[in-house]
Amino acid sequence: MLRQWLPAGLLVSIMVAAQFPDPPIDEPRASSPVLKKAVLAGGCFWCTEAVFELVEGVVDVRAGYAGGAPETARYELVSTGRTGHAEAVEITYDAARVTYGQLLRVFFEVAHDPTQLDRQGPDVGPQYRSAIFYANDEQKRIAEAYIQLLEQARVFPGRIVTRVEPLRGFYPAETYHQDFARKNPDHAYIVLHAWPKVAKLKRACPRLVRDRVSEP
């Protein structure tokens, strides 16, 4: 239950607050640099990667596939929607500079629409599902508590359909998918879908954006 993580009255104050709520529980910030990983799926990995590459404390972002078997983790197969994979990103972050919960806030507030079932915008199919692939019990607990908070606070007009799934493997996508937005800033898809999310990140979460970020 959400009550076990929230002090009395906090949920009410969150519901009337203008800003997007932070996670009710989070991992402790590390006292010295330590690298951890988070695997998230929120539609086309070009866009998700473009957003998280600009988050303070993120060391590396790789586009890839999660949720299916390694043998079928290839773009032409994943694109059929029949392999069980989702287009995902593996985020390597310094836990002394950013937390797992803060990454989830960016995921929900900026990177995608968690109320769209098996699609994001023009991209349709289970490979574009909203999913959090947890690597351990702590990540699962943080994710589930946050989803419960967002649902009860009615942050979104529709029901959150984000799946919380165990991480059984992450398989990097083909080389041409890596850093696609940065390498192809004028690509029509990137202009229409990735850069507006980057702009939203800078407006909504300025304290989580790394210093001296250049405009797309």
Side-chain angles (χ1 to χ4, degrees):
M1 296 294 291
L2 186 62
R3 295 178 185 275
Q4 67 183 304
W5 294 306
L6 292 179
L10 179 57
L11 182 58
V12 174
S13 65
I14 286 173
M15 291 177 68
V16 299
Q19 69 176 19
F20 200 93
D22 285 320
I25 60 172
D26 201 352
E27 64 182 2
R29 188 180 291 269
S31 58
S32 58
V34 56
L35 297 184
K36 296 186 177 182
K37 294 183 185 293
V39 176
L40 306 172
C44 176
F45 45 29
W46 295 347
C47 298
T48 316
E49 180 187 54
V51 169
F52 281 103
E53 282 185 334
L54 302 186
V55 174
E56 174 63 30
V58 169
V59 176
D60 185 47
V61 185
R62 292 196 298 172
Y65 314 106
E71 296 81 10
T72 54
R74 302 196 303 275
Y75 186 72
E76 68 274 13
L77 297 178
V78 173
S79 295
T80 67
R82 298 194 294 268
T83 67
H85 296 91
E87 290 196 11
V89 292
E90 180 189 65
I91 304 162
T92 302
Y93 64 100
D94 180 355
R97 296 161 61 196
V98 68
T99 65
Y100 185 72
Q102 289 173 321
L103 295 177
L104 291 187
R105 174 172 174 172
V106 172
F107 177 66
F108 282 112
E109 184 177 11
V110 175
H112 81 309
D113 180 351
T115 68
Q116 293 194 17
L117 180 63
D118 289 345
R119 70 173 300 161
Q120 282 295 306
D123 302 315
V124 180
Q127 70 271 31
Y128 297 112
R129 68 185 180 272
S130 172
I132 297 169
F133 293 93
Y134 62 89
N136 52 52
D137 289 341
E138 181 181 46
Q139 289 187 352
K140 180 183 181 183
R141 187 166 62 98
I142 293 168
E144 290 180 340
Y146 200 14
I147 291 171
Q148 189 175 12
L149 168 64
L150 297 176
E151 283 278 68
Q152 293 196 9
R154 298 182 182 177
V155 172
F156 298 99
R159 182 176 66 89
I160 294 175
V161 296
T162 304
R163 293 167 55 174
V164 180
E165 306 179 34
L167 178 63
R168 305 195 188 283
F170 177 83
Y171 313 106
E174 296 77 359
T175 301
Y176 70 91
H177 287 301
Q178 307 300 331
D179 300 311
F180 189 89
R182 182 171 57 81
K183 294 175 181 177
N184 301 274
D186 299 321
H187 190 286
Y189 187 96
I190 298 303
V191 171
L192 287 174
H193 301 289
W195 295 147
K197 293 182 179 183
V198 168
K200 183 178 181 181
L201 172 69
K202 296 174 185 178
R203 292 194 310 270
C205 307
R207 66 187 177 89
L208 294 180
V209 179
R210 68 174 75 252
D211 292 336
R212 296 180 297 279
V213 171
S214 59
E215 295 293 332

